[in-house]
């Protein structure tokens, strides 16, 4: 049984269609279709039901998917085991935050590609929390406070932040002095998140309110500098604004607890070596560039 055909079937099953799988694999739809037909012919059974809307797994395809995915994963582990020490090959699909991914994480990915010329790296930059399994990503780099999930996370470094506001906003509305006063102010947020602050050793949680929301930290810091409200943002995003005086740290007696940067991967017994190598490079980057996490500490 051809391994490439198995891998193509798994991609189609995970992507939910031939077109999406073709984009993930970087090949044409016709190539994906030919591989699937050959696999079905060898098995003597239909794995996919073709419809005008795409393709759906048959009952047999649903049953076969788990075994095929397991076989492909074991083959990847076996390939890694026999490669010369340090060599990586294949493809690494990684989701990266857009806010400062291009400036802080992109150099690490470029260095990884330089060290491993047989490795294909496909990076997708977005502040949206992608579904790693459904969208076919090997891993993701995420920044902030992690929600509970069944994904496996490895912390690569700390991220510090603070509450800030522009001089114009503070002149017009004043600054909150305690966490309880935050809800009386216009907050600039990503969504409906909670903000946390340290009161000594205790963590105080508040639910801010505001009319300006964006899914990108650079858009949020721009809105804060324009005087639209108060914002909790990482130091690496606000540093230049604070230095120039465009933003002022507020409520400094109640600092937010440190957040973190993480490599997230789907659950599995054996993390691929390419994910382990990326994680180690990112940890090394944080250790060598403490100013990234600790600009104002």
């Amino acid at each position: 049984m051809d391994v490439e055909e198995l891998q193509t079937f798994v991609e189609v099953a995970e992507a939910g269609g031939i077109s999406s799988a073709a984009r993930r694999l970087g090949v044409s739809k016709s190539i994906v279709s030919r591989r699937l037909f050959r696999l079905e012919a060898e098995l003597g059974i239909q794995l996919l039901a073709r419809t005008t809307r795409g393709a759906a797994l048959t009952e047999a395809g649903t049953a076969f998917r788990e075994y095929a995915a397991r076989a492909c994963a074991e083959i990847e582990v076996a390939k890694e085991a026999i490669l010369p020490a340090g060599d990586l090959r294949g493809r690494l699909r990684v989701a990266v935050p857009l806010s400062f991914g291009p400036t802080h994480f992109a150099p690490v990915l470029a260095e990884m590609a330089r060290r491993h010329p047989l490795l294909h790296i496909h990076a997708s930059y977005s502040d949206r929390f992608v579904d790693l399994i459904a969208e076919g990503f090997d891993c993701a780099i995420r920044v902030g406070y992690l929600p509970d999930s069944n994904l496996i996370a490895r912390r690569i470094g700390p991220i510090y932040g603070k509450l800030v506001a522009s001089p114009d906003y503070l002149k017009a509305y004043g600054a909150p002095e305690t966490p309880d006063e935050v809800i009386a102010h216009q907050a600039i947020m990503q969504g409906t998140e909670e903000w946390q602050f340290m009161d000594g050793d205790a963590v105080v949680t508040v639910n801010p309110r505001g009319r300006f929301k964006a899914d990108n930290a650079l858009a949020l810091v721009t809105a804060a500098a324009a005087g639209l409200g108060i914002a909790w943002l990482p130091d690496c995003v606000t540093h230049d604004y604070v230095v120039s005086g465009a933003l002022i740290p507020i409520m400094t007696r109640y600092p937010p607890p440190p957040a973190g940067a993480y490599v997230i991967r789907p659950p599995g017994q054996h993390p691929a070596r390419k994910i382990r190598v990326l994680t180690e490079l990112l940890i090394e980057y944080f250790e060598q560039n403490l100013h990234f996490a600790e600009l104002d500490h």
Side-chain angles (χ1 to χ4, degrees), residues 202-219:
V203 176
V204 179
T205 301
V206 299
N207 297 100
R209 303 168 187 167
R211 63 185 180 88
F212 189 94
K213 298 180 181 181
D215 62 358
N216 178 270
L218 299 182

Side-chain angles (χ1 to χ4, degrees), residues 160-164 197 231-235 238 242 248-250 252 255-256 296-297:
Y160 294 95
K162 58 171 59 73
L163 203 61
V164 293
F197 302 96
W232 183 100
L233 290 165
D235 289 347
T238 62
V242 172
I248 297 173
I250 58 176
T252 55
D296 301 311
H297 293 264

Side-chain angles (χ1 to χ4, degrees), residues 142-160:
R142 290 184 180 167
V143 173
Y145 304 105
L146 288 186
D148 292 335
S149 75
N150 64 342
L151 300 175
I152 297 174
R154 173 78 186 278
R155 192 172 187 268
I156 55 177
I159 296 289
Y160 294 95

